[in-house]
Amino acid sequence: MNNTLLLKGTFEQAKRDNGAVVISLPKNKSVSSEKLKKILQDLKYLYNYWANDTTLQGALVSVYYNKIAAKSNRIQRLLSSANNSVRGARFYDESSPKHLITHYVSLQEIEQSIREVAEAIEIIDTQLDGCVSAQTIEKINSKNKNEKINLHYDNLTKTNFLKIVVDAYYVDRLDIFSDIKEFDDKSIITIFKTSVDTIDLMNKLGIRLSNDRIIDDTTLLLLPDEYNLLKEKAPYLISMSVTDLSELTKSDFNIIDASDNFTVPTSKNEPTIGVIDTLFSNNVYFSDWVESKNLLPKEIETSEKDYLHGTAVTSIIVDGPTLNPLLDDGCGRFKVKHFGVATNDKFSSFTILKNIERLVIENPEIKVWNLSLGSKYAVNQNFISPEAAILDKIQKDYDVIFVIAGTNKEDNEEEEKRVGAPADSINSLIVNSVTSKGEPTKYTRTGPVLSFYIKPDIAYYGGDNENKIKVYTQRGVEHVQGTSFAAPWIARKICYLISVLGLSREEAKALIIHSSTNWEKQKFDPNKIGHGIVPIKIEDVLNTKNDEIQMIISGVSDEYNTYNYKLPVPVHNGKHPFIAKATVCYFPKCSRTQGVDYTNTELDIKFGRIKDNDIKSIDNNYQDTKGHYTWEKDARLNYRKWDNVKHIREVFTTRKRPIDSGNPKGFWGLSLKTKNRLNLEDGKNLRFSIVITLKELNGVNRIDDFVKNCLLNEWFVNRIDVQHRVEIHNISEEEITFEE
C-alpha cells in the first residue's frame, strides 16, 4: 500500500484578460421590432402597476428568460441597474427549465427603459427594415467603410442600442412574480429585499413583528393569519415560503437485547463531535463520554421515544465499532456534545435556525457536527431550505463542517422522492444509505438539489432489512436502519482526519468524497449514492494500491486563474503510463435570496498533461478556451459549473495505453478559474483542496520516482503516516502537570 502524499507548492495567480467586449447575437439569429414591442408593453404595464402601488419605494420586476442564462447573457440595458439589482433567481417551465430572475429597481429606471426601447423600435423599423440580425450587428460594428452600417441615434448610444437588442433576444417577457402556498401552521417566509426596512414594511401591511421572529433582514416567522394578510396585501413580496414545523423522517427501532454487557474505558484526549438531534438519555453505558443539553422549550412534555433517535446516533459516534464489528473503521472512540432540539415526531425549523449558529460559536473546539434530523417534506427545486442556508453560512464563516443524513422515505412510499431539509445544504457533507451489498436502500431519497447540484455527496452503510445497524439506547441494544445511522459513521471519519491527523476540513471532505470513487463507470444513480460508497477502513481512505499515487494539494484562490504547471508526473519511454482522477472541494459564500443561482463563486478545475503550453484536461474541459463556447446548461451538466464539489476522472479499460508526455519534463498542470456571480470579493482568499490519484497502467509502483521529481521541482512532500500522526496527536493532547 502507498501512503497519501501531502504536496505543498506555489500556485501562481493571474487576473482575467477580458479583452474588448463585443456585443453580438448568436450566429444566424435575429431580433424583430415586434419582439421589442412586446417588451415595451410589459414595461408600460409594470410602470403603471408600481406607480399605483406605493407599498414599496421602487418596483419588483421579474425577467423571464428563454433559456438557462449565463451571466454574460443576462440583461445589460433593460433596467439599467440590472447587474446590481438582482433579488432572486429560479427556474420556470419544468419541461425545459429557463431562468426567471427578479430585480428591484426604481420607477425612474423603468421610465428610462420605456424611452430607450421605444427609440430602439423606431430605429429598427425606420432604418433596418424591422429586424436586426447577427450579420447586421457585425456591419454596425465593422471598421470597413464599404460594409459598415451607420445608424442615426437621437438619445441612445450605439452601445446601448445594441445591448437592448441583445437583451431582447434572450428575454421572453417581463412580469411580477410571487411564491404563494397554503399553510395551516407557522411558516418561514423569505421576502424580496427592497429599500424598506423589514419591520417597517410589515407594520405598513398591518403585521407586527418582534425581533425574535426575524432570522435575517428578509426571513421571517409568520403565523397563519399574518401570512394570509401578506398574501392579500403584497403577494409580490413573497420570494420563498416553507412550513416551520417539519415532521421527521422515520427510522425503524427493534429491541434485540435489553441487557447491558458493554463497558467503555474512561475518556482521555479523544476528539469531540457535536450532535444536534432529539434528546439524549444518560441511562446508557457510554454516558460519561457524552455532555448533553436539552434545548427544547420547558413547556414541551417528553416521553421515552423522544430519547431514542438522538441516543442511537450518539452511540455510533462514541462506540459504533464495538456494536458493529464488521463496520470497525479503525478510528477509535469519540466524545460527544449532544444538543437536543427536537422530539421524536416534529421539530421547529425556526428554533434550530435561531440556535445553531450560537452553538457553533460557543463550542469552537468542535470542528465536526452531525445532524441526522431530516424533514419528510421534499425540498423545493427553486430555492434552498432555510435550515440548509444557515448551515452553509456557518460553514463559510467558521472553520467547521456538518455531516448530514440524506433523509428517508416512509415504508409506504414507492415512488422516487427528493431529499428533505437540511439535506440540501451545499457546503455540508450529505450521506445516503446503501445495503451491505453496496446497493441503494429502499428508503433512499434522491437529489439533485436546485436541479443540478449533486446531493447526496456520498453513501455509506445505514442498514437494511437483512443487515441492520446495531445501536444502543436506554432500552438496550437495538437494530435500526436509516440514513440517520449512515451519517455518524462518516462524521467519525471526518473528525479523525481533522482532529487526529491534522488535515483541514477542505482536505478531509475532498479525501472522503474522493475515496468513494473508483476507476469504472458508476453503476448506480449518483442522485441516490452521490459520488460513491466510502470504504469502511480509514486506512483505505488514506492509502492506495501499489500501482497508484495519491496526493492532496491545497491552496487559496485570490485572482481569476490560480495555477501550477509543474506537477512532475513520472515518464517512462517518453510516455505517461497513467490515467488520473481528481476531486476538488471548497466552501463558497452562498446567497439564498438568489434562488437557483445559490453559490456565489465558481472554481472551474482543469487538470492534465501540459501540451502546447496549455493543460489538456482529463475531462476535455474546454471552458474559457479561445475559440470554444459552452452553453450554460451544458457547463452545469458536463463540468459541474457552480457546484462546490467537482470530480473528474478517466475510466480504466484494458485498452488504455500510455500517452505521449507532451513536454520534455513530463509536467502536468492544475488550473482553477474563479468566477463570481455578485461580488468580486466573494472569491478572494477562498481555500480549496484537490485530491489526485494517478493509476499506473502496467501495475508498476512509481511513487518513489514521483516524490523525487517533486523535490527536484520545488514541491515539498509529506507522507501521511497514520501511526506517526496519531502519536503526535496523543502527545499534543497530554495534560502536563508542573511541580510547584
Side-chain angles (χ1 to χ4, degrees):
M1 300 286 280
N2 285 335
N3 297 130
T4 294
L5 307 174
L6 272 176
L7 264 59
K8 302 291 183 183
T10 301
F11 279 97
E12 302 296 331
Q13 304 279 342
K15 295 181 182 295
R16 186 169 193 167
D17 181 12
N18 291 315
V21 177
V22 179
I23 304 171
S24 63
L25 289 170
K27 189 176 181 180
N28 298 325
K29 300 299 180 181
S30 63
V31 174
S32 69
S33 63
E34 294 302 314
K35 176 70 177 292
L36 278 168
K37 287 172 184 175
K38 291 179 181 178
I39 290 175
L40 182 60
Q41 287 179 337
D42 292 343
L43 287 167
K44 289 179 177 179
Y45 162 76
L46 290 165
Y47 179 82
N48 290 331
Y49 182 94
W50 290 110
N52 292 312
D53 188 322
T54 58
T55 305
L56 306 179
Q57 296 173 357
L60 287 165
V61 177
S62 291
V63 180
Y64 290 71
Y65 288 86
N66 55 23
K67 65 170 192 170
I68 296 177
K71 187 176 179 179
S72 58
N73 297 148
R74 298 180 186 181
I75 58 172
Q76 299 180 57
R77 190 62 193 174
L78 288 175
L79 311 178
S80 57
S81 67
N83 287 338
N84 301 314
S85 64
V86 175
R87 295 297 184 265
R90 63 177 57 226
F91 293 138
Y92 74 101
D93 189 353
E94 290 187 7
S95 61
S96 178
K98 305 174 181 68
H99 257 118
L100 185 167
I101 298 178
T102 300
H103 300 260
Y104 181 64
V105 297
S106 67
L107 280 174
Q108 289 74 23
E109 287 177 81
I110 300 179
E111 272 189 304
Q112 179 178 316
S113 293
I114 289 172
R115 290 193 300 270
E116 292 185 349
V117 170
E119 183 176 341
I121 292 169
E122 184 178 357
I123 292 170
I124 296 171
D125 280 342
T126 60
Q127 301 181 55
L128 296 170
D129 296 326
C131 185
V132 181
S133 67
Q135 293 77 10
T136 303
I137 292 179
E138 286 180 9
K139 292 179 180 179
I140 292 172
N141 288 323
S142 176
K143 295 181 179 179
N144 186 329
K145 293 182 179 180
N146 295 325
E147 64 175 28
K148 183 177 179 64
I149 295 177
N150 291 300
L151 299 176
H152 170 72
Y153 308 95
D154 289 329
N155 298 306
L156 274 178
T157 63
K158 181 185 80 170
T159 297
N160 286 342
F161 168 72
L162 294 178
K163 284 182 177 180
I164 287 173
V165 171
V166 174
D167 286 351
Y169 174 77
Y170 292 109
V171 171
D172 183 60
R173 69 184 192 277
L174 286 77
D175 207 341
I176 298 171
F177 171 83
S178 60
D179 180 33
I180 302 297
K181 292 185 176 66
E182 298 297 329
F183 297 113
D184 297 326
D185 214 317
K186 295 177 184 178
S187 53
I188 298 175
I189 307 299
T190 299
I191 62 173
F192 288 114
K193 184 175 178 60
T194 68
S195 57
V196 185
D197 176 78
T198 297
I199 291 182
D200 292 342
L201 185 56
M202 291 299 108
N203 284 338
K204 197 173 185 180
L205 296 170
I207 301 171
R208 296 188 63 82
L209 282 181
S210 55
N211 284 325
D212 63 356
R213 286 207 279 145
I214 298 177
I215 296 173
D216 54 38
D217 55 359
T218 60
T219 305
L220 332 163
L221 179 68
L222 296 184
L223 301 173
D225 59 333
E226 294 170 332
Y227 177 61
N228 290 332
L229 188 59
L230 179 61
K231 287 193 299 180
E232 176 188 341
K233 291 190 173 183
Y236 48 74
L237 276 175
I238 302 173
S239 171
M240 299 168 257
S241 53
V242 295
T243 182
D244 174 45
L245 289 178
S246 295
E247 293 188 37
L248 297 175
T249 56
K250 303 299 180 183
S251 303
D252 295 331
F253 282 82
N254 295 317
I255 303 175
I256 62 167
D257 187 356
S259 63
D260 186 351
N261 297 318
F262 295 99
T263 60
V264 288
T266 302
S267 62
K268 295 180 180 178
N269 58 353
E270 295 83 2
T272 299
I273 294 174
V275 172
I276 299 172
D277 213 287
T278 65
L279 303 176
F280 176 77
S281 172
N282 286 311
N283 297 320
V284 291
Y285 73 94
F286 55 89
S287 61
D288 288 345
W289 285 63
V290 182
E291 180 183 338
S292 64
K293 188 172 184 179
N294 183 346
L295 297 181
L296 291 175
K298 293 181 180 180
E299 63 270 16
I300 293 181
E301 295 184 4
T302 60
S303 63
E304 181 187 63
K305 65 180 181 180
D306 297 321
Y307 292 80
L308 292 175
H309 189 273
T311 307
V313 167
T314 290
S315 75
I316 294 175
I317 292 176
V318 175
D319 204 26
T322 299
L323 297 162
N324 302 270
L326 293 179
L327 293 177
D328 187 351
D329 49 23
C331 296
R333 295 183 177 91
F334 295 85
K335 292 183 287 189
V336 169
K337 273 194 175 181
H338 185 114
F339 300 93
V341 298
T343 62
N344 181 63
D345 296 321
K346 295 183 178 182
F347 67 93
S348 166
S349 298
F350 191 80
T351 299
I352 291 178
L353 292 172
K354 296 293 280 188
N355 278 319
I356 200 162
E357 186 167 10
R358 175 177 59 82
L359 294 178
V360 171
I361 293 173
E362 291 177 353
N363 296 277
E365 78 282 5
I366 299 177
K367 299 302 181 184
V368 179
W369 292 81
N370 187 95
L371 186 51
S372 286
L373 297 178
S375 172
K376 78 171 188 177
Y377 306 114
V379 295
N380 193 291
Q381 286 291 69
N382 276 305
F383 57 81
I384 290 290
S385 67
E387 303 97 310
I390 193 67
L391 293 174
D392 289 335
K393 177 183 180 298
I394 289 169
Q395 288 170 101
K396 170 60 180 173
D397 293 345
Y398 308 99
D399 188 23
V400 297
I401 183 170
F402 280 83
V403 180
I404 297 177
T407 64
N408 311 321
K409 288 195 298 186
E410 303 286 348
D411 291 337
N412 59 352
E413 292 179 311
E414 296 295 332
E415 296 183 358
E416 300 291 350
K417 185 176 181 179
R418 289 198 307 277
V419 296
D424 54 333
S425 168
I426 301 301
N427 282 332
S428 300
L429 191 58
I430 311 301
V431 187
N432 256 15
S433 286
V434 289
T435 67
S436 57
K437 297 178 181 178
E439 300 172 350
T441 57
K442 291 183 179 180
Y443 54 81
T444 291
R445 290 164 70 172
T446 68
V449 168
L450 297 184
S451 82
F452 89 102
Y453 289 98
I454 290 180
K455 292 292 171 180
D457 293 286
I458 52 174
Y460 201 69
Y461 306 98
D464 58 89
N465 289 332
E466 295 181 5
N467 294 281
K468 295 192 176 185
I469 300 294
K470 288 183 183 179
V471 297
Y472 201 94
T473 73
Q474 68 272 25
R475 303 190 305 195
V477 177
E478 307 207 34
H479 269 178
V480 297
Q481 59 180 336
T483 56
S484 291
F485 311 111
W489 292 103
I490 299 301
R492 288 170 52 84
K493 287 182 169 66
I494 286 282
C495 190
Y496 186 87
L497 294 174
I498 294 174
S499 298
V500 178
L501 299 188
L503 301 184
S504 71
R505 61 170 183 169
E506 289 83 5
E507 292 169 341
K509 182 179 180 181
L511 188 57
I512 286 290
I513 292 175
H514 192 79
S515 73
S516 73
T517 67
N518 52 43
W519 297 104
E520 293 79 39
K521 289 184 178 179
Q522 190 159 308
K523 182 178 179 182
F524 297 108
D525 185 354
N527 289 322
K528 292 185 176 181
I529 69 165
H531 292 89
I533 305 168
V534 177
I536 293 174
K537 297 290 187 183
I538 194 67
E539 64 186 38
D540 293 329
V541 172
L542 289 161
N543 300 327
T544 62
K545 296 178 181 178
N546 286 335
D547 63 350
E548 294 179 354
I549 303 169
Q550 182 161 283
M551 68 204 79
I552 302 174
I553 303 174
S554 298
V556 176
S557 167
D558 279 319
E559 299 291 350
Y560 168 69
N561 190 10
T562 304
Y563 64 95
N564 184 301
Y565 282 10
K566 291 186 176 181
L567 191 65
V569 175
V571 175
H572 180 66
N573 293 332
K575 296 181 182 294
H576 281 133
F578 295 97
I579 58 171
K581 60 179 181 176
T583 304
V584 60
C585 287
Y586 55 99
F587 290 75
K589 182 178 180 181
C590 302
S591 298
R592 184 171 183 260
T593 55
Q594 297 297 306
V596 294
D597 293 345
Y598 179 62
T599 49
N600 290 16
T601 303
E602 148 78 356
L603 292 185
D604 173 39
I605 182 174
K606 290 186 179 180
F607 168 64
R609 295 178 298 132
I610 298 295
K611 187 175 182 181
D612 300 328
N613 296 318
D614 197 9
I615 297 173
K616 186 173 177 57
S617 189
I618 61 173
D619 65 338
N620 297 315
N621 183 353
Y622 52 79
Q623 291 183 92
D624 303 303
T625 300
K626 193 172 182 180
H628 291 272
Y629 180 81
T630 309
W631 293 102
E632 181 76 3
K633 182 178 180 181
D634 294 334
R636 295 185 181 204
L637 179 65
N638 298 327
Y639 305 117
R640 311 306 311 159
K641 186 177 181 182
W642 301 110
D643 203 335
N644 62 330
V645 174
K646 295 178 177 67
H647 176 74
I648 59 177
R649 66 177 157 187
E650 296 174 288
V651 175
F652 175 76
T653 68
T654 54
R655 292 177 294 178
K656 284 282 186 181
R657 294 291 181 266
I659 301 175
D660 184 81
S661 63
N663 60 89
K665 294 188 176 181
F667 288 140
W668 284 37
L670 268 171
S671 170
L672 289 162
K673 303 284 178 56
T674 304
K675 302 159 192 174
N676 297 291
R677 275 198 174 106
L678 301 175
N679 190 329
L680 291 176
E681 297 302 311
D682 289 340
K684 293 285 187 181
N685 298 313
L686 183 60
R687 294 184 300 172
F688 62 83
S689 290
I690 306 166
V691 179
I692 296 168
T693 305
L694 304 172
K695 181 177 179 61
E696 220 279 355
L697 293 171
N698 301 308
V700 179
N701 189 345
R702 300 189 187 276
I703 192 169
D704 290 336
D705 290 341
F706 177 71
V707 170
K708 181 180 69 175
N709 290 346
C710 285
L711 295 174
L712 291 172
N713 286 279
E714 301 177 347
W715 288 94
F716 176 77
V717 183
N718 187 6
R719 296 178 190 255
I720 300 180
D721 184 319
V722 174
Q723 184 175 352
H724 179 63
R725 285 180 175 246
V726 169
E727 290 173 356
I728 293 175
H729 167 75
N730 290 337
I731 292 171
S732 67
E733 294 295 324
E734 285 182 359
E735 291 188 10
I736 300 175
T737 303
F738 294 96
E739 294 183 2
E740 295 185 1

